[in-house]
Amino acid sequence: PREGLEYGCSDGIFTYRLFSVLREKLSESDLRIYNLEKSFCNVIREMERNRVHIDVERVQQLYVECKAEIEQVGNVIRDIVERHTGSTGRWRTLNVGSPKQLSIALLTDPEGVRLKPTPEMLEAEGEGGGGSDSDDDEEEESSGSGDDQKQYSLKDEALKSLDAAYGRKYMVQREGHLDKDGKQKTESIFELILEYRHYDKMKGSYVEKLVQAVDKNGDVRPSFNQMGTDTARLSCKAGEIENGYSGVNFQGIPRDSDEDKPELFKQIRTCIAPRPGWVLVKLDYSGEELRVVTNLSGDPIWTKSFLYEDGDVHSITARTLFGKSDVNKDERNRGKRCNFAFIYGGGAGAIQRNVGGSIEDATRHMQNLKNDVPVLMGYVDHQKGYARKHKCVFTAFGRKLPIAGIDSPIRGIKAKAERCAINYTIQATSADVIKYAMCFVDKQLRTLGWKDRCRYVLTVHDEVVYEVRPEHLMEVVRKLDEWMTLPWKLPKAHGREWVVPLLTEPGIDINWKARYDYFKMVDGTPVRPGDIRDDGSYAGKLKKDEAYADGRVYQKIPDFLQAYIHRVAPGGELPAGSPSIPIVQPVHEAPTPQLPVSTAVEGLPTSSESMVSEPVQVANELKEQSPLDMDLGDIQLDPAPEPAVTEIDMSPRAAPEESPPTPRSASHSIRSDAPVTGTASAALVMDGSSSDGMGRVYRWVLRAPLSEYVQRKLQAVCILAEGAVPLR
């Protein structure tokens, strides 16, 4: 019908006519973020289509173990309640998974444990934080209590406050449960309730859903939302399986570093496996948020730690907090928690929760931090002031983030908005980093024709999970590491380039645990000269999966990678019978980068007002050749030079020399003269003289058929580098 035709066509017509009007209202930064999100749409679509492969047998095994843990922990909790209420048998039917029944048993019932609510719980109740924690609390009257009894919220924070107040009175030791030191572990009833909740969530939200969601091939298709959070981070909707969703929030699967999660809960990652004929490669950024905030603030102390020292900024904070030069592991962990509290807007209260003591002591610690790291703490104050003035903040790449409630007369709302002014900047900048990285990886994989040897299947915050053909591991993983660290070299919207590089930690395995570190297996870790004996052996202590050779400690290569990863000495030959893939040479130490001189940033308050400093000089060449709305395909990484054979990157332009080299790109290089086999590869060699008059051989290894476009591109590079020299 004509009415339907006009109605349907009007959607497209109006959208098209509005586009040109609205586009003119966008700034350069807006256009840059718009182009980024538009490119990222294709990445998300392909990642969902690639699907996540599930080891169904492993899931079923975890289901049995999880049910056993739920029953065992629940019985221990009921025993503790019974023991402290006269062993009447009434609480043998207590549903530990019901916050309502727990509240009655622990707090309100005269025949229960009769604990008094903590001040933190009463404060939460006064702010409207009471009520049930779960939508499916059971209403049965198995506890014998009426509905007129008051209920207190027993969310995780409430249980932690109860543990701090009463934990020592309600302790238990379970047989076979040991701590990190191998001693018998002692736990409180509140810790056990939290553990029970982890197992209950593991069973209902992950294990059962994974079994139900897999298709005939053992795959699950996740559903990602690229603008699912206020900070533009990805979210993953679980949804109902019958409505076409996966039923699983892959963004919520815990990682190994989550100290507050039980070990069994962290085993969910072992259920994510590669398809037959592939291996799983995980690349996550090393300390991404700490490196981001260091670059944003320009703090010289943290910058020096990352560039010159071991990058352990948590120990720097711990030494300030505890007033001593040597800190133990527990003190460093407290410094770590305080660091993340600071960069997310926490104050003296955060120090008190992590370090202990009175609020006066915490305030004194806060002042010591302002004295010891004034630039970092000044950046925090500057962000709050900027948000109060402009009602928004910006990421390093120009994404605008509104800060609602920053001028609210209500103290709690205003304090939360001030924390968001810092939190949003760091998290959203990290989100931009991962989006730029994945767009560039996708572009490179398509350009090189590598989709048949590498594909991305999952991303969680600061890590990306790939499936890689094992015969291509040596070249693919190096390139993935190089491409994913690209965003730190991109021009920033505020005109200041970053000096602290982004680094990735590639892990390889037959599941998502990724136990085998690529760089530790291939490059190893250099040891101190004092740890080498006169006979050349290593005097230090090696772990069971480590080996020493040639001044370096290597992680042993697992059996399933023996045929694909090799280490050779300088000038060594490829082992007989091994595949023809590039071999990584032993590395040489990178030159120590020079710290830049801090100067005032144009357009921002002076250092006396905001303590923000310029981390590095603006790379004029990069800015001139790379406008904010650049094509991701026009970005080039720094080539890794070699003494005799130089590999030339065939991107249109070169990165600026002023950019500080990343440690890996300067010290890890791939032998470009390794033999190449396969019909899809071609090797070209061009002889000529370099600009400094020294004879040199330039060698290209093309990983795709030599099309007319690639040949013209190669000739252009030759002319720029050497003049008009014939190719052969």
Side-chain angles (χ1 to χ4, degrees):
R2 182 168 183 80
E3 293 82 0
L5 178 66
E6 293 176 352
Y7 177 79
C9 292
S10 64
D11 285 352
I13 294 172
F14 294 159
T15 302
Y16 179 74
R17 296 191 65 178
L18 281 171
F19 173 76
S20 58
V21 177
L22 295 176
R23 186 183 179 94
E24 295 178 357
K25 299 179 181 295
L26 298 180
S27 65
E28 286 186 338
S29 295
D30 293 334
L31 283 173
R32 184 182 192 184
I33 298 301
Y34 167 75
N35 289 331
L36 169 64
E37 295 294 347
K38 190 169 65 172
S39 298
F40 195 61
C41 282
N42 294 324
V43 176
I44 290 295
R45 179 178 61 183
E46 181 168 342
M47 184 163 58
E48 291 181 351
R49 287 177 174 176
N50 287 338
R51 290 173 166 76
V52 178
H53 190 66
I54 305 299
D55 186 344
V56 179
E57 292 184 3
R58 177 58 177 160
V59 175
Q60 293 172 342
Q61 179 185 356
L62 286 181
Y63 179 77
V64 174
E65 295 178 8
C66 186
K67 284 188 64 176
E69 288 293 337
I70 289 176
E71 182 178 358
Q72 194 260 345
V73 175
N75 289 335
V76 174
I77 294 172
R78 298 183 191 97
D79 290 341
I80 297 175
V81 175
E82 279 288 320
R83 188 165 65 250
H84 287 84
T85 55
S87 300
T88 61
R90 174 184 172 184
W91 305 107
R92 290 293 178 191
T93 57
L94 172 67
N95 180 8
V96 181
S98 169
K100 176 182 176 180
Q101 292 192 28
L102 277 178
S103 174
I104 294 172
L106 297 178
L107 298 165
T108 59
D109 196 296
E111 298 180 3
V113 182
R114 293 182 295 178
L115 300 177
K116 293 182 179 180
T118 63
E120 292 83 0
M121 293 174 61
L122 295 175
E123 182 179 354
E125 296 286 337
E127 295 177 356
S132 172
D133 292 344
S134 175
D135 295 332
D136 57 353
D137 289 345
E138 298 185 22
E139 298 296 333
E140 70 271 11
E141 299 181 1
S142 60
S143 62
S145 302
D147 291 335
D148 57 342
Q149 288 183 307
K150 179 174 176 57
Q151 297 176 34
Y152 291 93
S153 171
L154 283 184
K155 296 182 179 180
D156 291 356
E157 291 301 322
L159 285 173
K160 291 177 182 177
S161 68
L162 287 171
D163 184 46
Y166 305 107
R168 294 184 179 181
K169 297 181 180 179
Y170 303 93
M171 306 295 285
V172 67
Q173 290 183 342
R174 290 184 289 168
E175 183 179 355
H177 285 257
L178 307 178
D179 58 18
K180 296 180 180 179
D181 299 327
K183 299 180 181 179
Q184 188 69 34
K185 189 175 182 180
T186 304
E187 302 163 293
S188 71
I189 183 175
F190 310 104
E191 293 174 324
L192 292 173
I193 293 173
L194 290 172
E195 183 177 344
Y196 181 96
R197 289 180 177 177
H198 286 311
Y199 293 138
D200 195 39
K201 181 178 180 180
M202 174 183 173
K203 174 176 172 288
S205 299
Y206 294 106
V207 181
E208 290 180 345
K209 295 294 177 64
L210 284 175
V211 174
Q212 298 169 9
V214 293
D215 59 17
K216 62 181 180 180
N217 300 315
D219 299 339
V220 173
R221 176 169 180 163
S223 178
F224 292 105
N225 183 354
Q226 69 188 77
M227 297 293 292
T229 65
D230 293 339
T231 57
R233 276 186 165 180
L234 272 76
S235 65
C236 183
K237 184 175 182 179
E240 298 295 333
I241 296 176
E242 55 267 24
N243 293 335
Y245 292 96
S246 66
V248 178
N249 174 16
F250 286 94
Q251 296 277 322
I253 296 179
R255 61 180 67 197
D256 294 341
S257 58
D258 290 345
E259 299 177 355
D260 60 336
K261 303 291 192 302
E263 187 60 34
L264 184 61
F265 195 6
K266 292 183 283 189
Q267 294 299 312
I268 298 176
R269 290 198 167 208
T270 62
C271 300
I272 311 299
R275 292 164 182 80
W278 300 73
V279 295
L280 221 58
V281 177
K282 179 200 73 173
L283 281 88
D284 61 343
Y285 289 102
S286 175
E288 181 188 22
E289 292 179 339
L290 297 173
R291 291 173 180 269
V292 166
V293 75
T294 303
N295 283 314
L296 291 175
S297 66
D299 184 82
I301 297 176
W302 280 26
T303 299
K304 178 182 176 183
S305 178
F306 280 118
L307 293 183
Y308 287 98
E309 301 166 0
D310 56 3
D312 187 6
V313 295
H314 302 315
S315 294
I316 295 176
T317 302
R319 287 193 289 269
T320 299
L321 292 174
F322 296 100
K324 55 183 182 180
S325 57
D326 295 327
V327 293
N328 56 36
K329 185 176 181 180
D330 178 66
E331 291 168 339
R332 181 190 175 278
N333 286 335
R334 295 187 183 187
K336 177 181 179 180
R337 292 194 294 269
C338 286
N339 275 340
F340 285 107
F342 297 146
I343 64 178
Y344 293 141
I351 296 180
Q352 184 186 24
R353 289 190 296 271
N354 290 289
V355 179
S358 63
I359 191 65
E360 291 78 13
D361 294 336
T363 303
R364 188 173 64 256
H365 289 321
M366 190 75 178
Q367 187 59 45
N368 291 337
L369 281 169
K370 290 183 177 180
N371 295 334
D372 287 1
V373 282
V375 176
L376 177 65
M377 303 306 291
Y379 167 76
V380 172
D381 294 336
H382 169 266
Q383 285 297 104
K384 294 179 181 179
Y386 188 92
R388 284 192 293 267
K389 181 178 180 180
H390 300 282
K391 309 298 184 291
C392 67
V393 291
F394 290 86
T395 68
F397 300 93
R399 185 189 297 272
K400 183 179 180 179
L401 303 165
I403 304 296
I406 191 68
D407 53 358
S408 173
I410 302 175
R411 180 182 176 185
I413 296 177
K414 183 177 181 180
K416 181 179 179 181
E418 289 180 344
R419 291 194 297 272
C420 290
I422 307 160
N423 180 8
Y424 281 15
T425 306
I426 300 169
Q427 287 203 20
T429 298
S430 300
D432 289 345
V433 166
I434 197 73
K435 289 182 178 181
Y436 269 114
M438 292 189 68
C439 286
F440 189 68
V441 168
D442 178 73
K443 184 83 171 180
Q444 294 294 83
L445 291 178
R446 284 189 283 110
T447 301
L448 296 173
W450 282 9
K451 290 287 187 177
D452 60 340
R453 59 178 71 177
C454 176
R455 58 193 178 195
Y456 39 82
V457 295
L458 191 61
T459 177
V460 178
H461 300 320
D462 62 347
E463 66 178 284
V464 184
V465 183
Y466 301 90
E467 285 183 338
V468 179
R469 289 286 187 184
E471 59 268 24
H472 300 293
L473 268 175
M474 291 294 289
E475 54 184 341
V476 169
V477 176
R478 289 279 179 178
K479 285 300 182 182
L480 290 177
D481 170 66
E482 183 181 344
W483 296 334
M484 286 188 61
T485 55
L486 167 83
W488 85 277
K489 298 181 181 180
L490 294 180
K492 307 305 184 291
H494 49 58
R496 294 179 290 120
E497 302 307 314
W498 286 1
V499 63
V500 176
L502 296 175
L503 298 179
T504 67
E505 297 177 335
I508 308 173
D509 208 340
I510 54 175
N511 56 54
W512 193 9
K513 292 284 280 188
R515 297 166 293 176
Y516 306 101
D517 188 294
Y518 176 84
F519 287 123
K520 289 183 179 179
M521 286 190 295
V522 176
D523 296 340
T525 305
V527 302
R528 295 177 299 179
D531 291 336
I532 303 178
R533 299 188 181 97
D534 295 337
D535 60 357
S537 60
Y538 180 53
K541 185 177 181 181
L542 296 173
K543 298 179 181 178
K544 62 179 181 179
D545 64 339
E546 292 180 339
Y548 172 78
D550 301 324
R552 291 178 175 269
V553 173
Y554 296 91
Q555 186 178 22
K556 293 181 180 179
I557 300 174
D559 293 341
F560 69 93
L561 292 177
Q562 286 288 348
Y564 309 108
I565 292 183
H566 305 281
R567 292 189 294 266
V568 295
E573 297 296 331
L574 195 66
S578 57
S580 299
I581 54 178
I583 305 301
V584 179
Q585 297 252 27
V587 301
H588 303 282
E589 295 304 317
T592 304
Q594 297 297 318
L595 276 176
V597 179
S598 296
T599 59
V601 181
E602 183 180 357
L604 291 178
T606 61
S607 59
S608 60
E609 296 173 328
S610 68
M611 307 303 291
V612 180
S613 61
E614 173 76 57
V616 73
Q617 297 179 354
V618 177
N620 294 325
E621 180 183 352
L622 186 59
K623 288 180 66 62
E624 291 174 1
Q625 300 189 23
S626 301
L628 293 177
D629 57 347
M630 74 178 75
D631 183 1
L632 290 172
D634 293 338
I635 301 170
Q636 176 191 328
L637 302 178
D638 293 328
E642 295 187 17
V645 179
T646 303
E647 181 177 347
I648 300 297
D649 194 306
M650 286 166 286
S651 297
R653 61 175 180 79
E657 296 180 358
E658 291 86 357
S659 299
T662 62
R664 284 182 186 146
S665 65
S667 61
H668 301 137
S669 57
I670 298 179
R671 277 179 54 184
S672 57
D673 57 344
V676 179
T677 60
T679 58
S681 299
L684 290 89
V685 180
M686 185 267 297
D687 293 331
S689 300
S690 63
S691 58
D692 57 5
M694 297 178 62
R696 188 173 299 184
V697 176
Y698 291 86
R699 184 183 303 272
W700 293 264
V701 179
L702 305 182
R703 305 301 177 186
L706 187 60
S707 64
E708 182 181 356
Y709 166 77
V710 174
Q711 185 172 358
R712 290 201 309 269
K713 197 171 181 180
L714 179 58
Q715 287 176 322
V717 174
C718 293
I719 294 172
L720 288 174
E722 298 295 324
V725 178
L727 279 174
R728 63 174 175 86

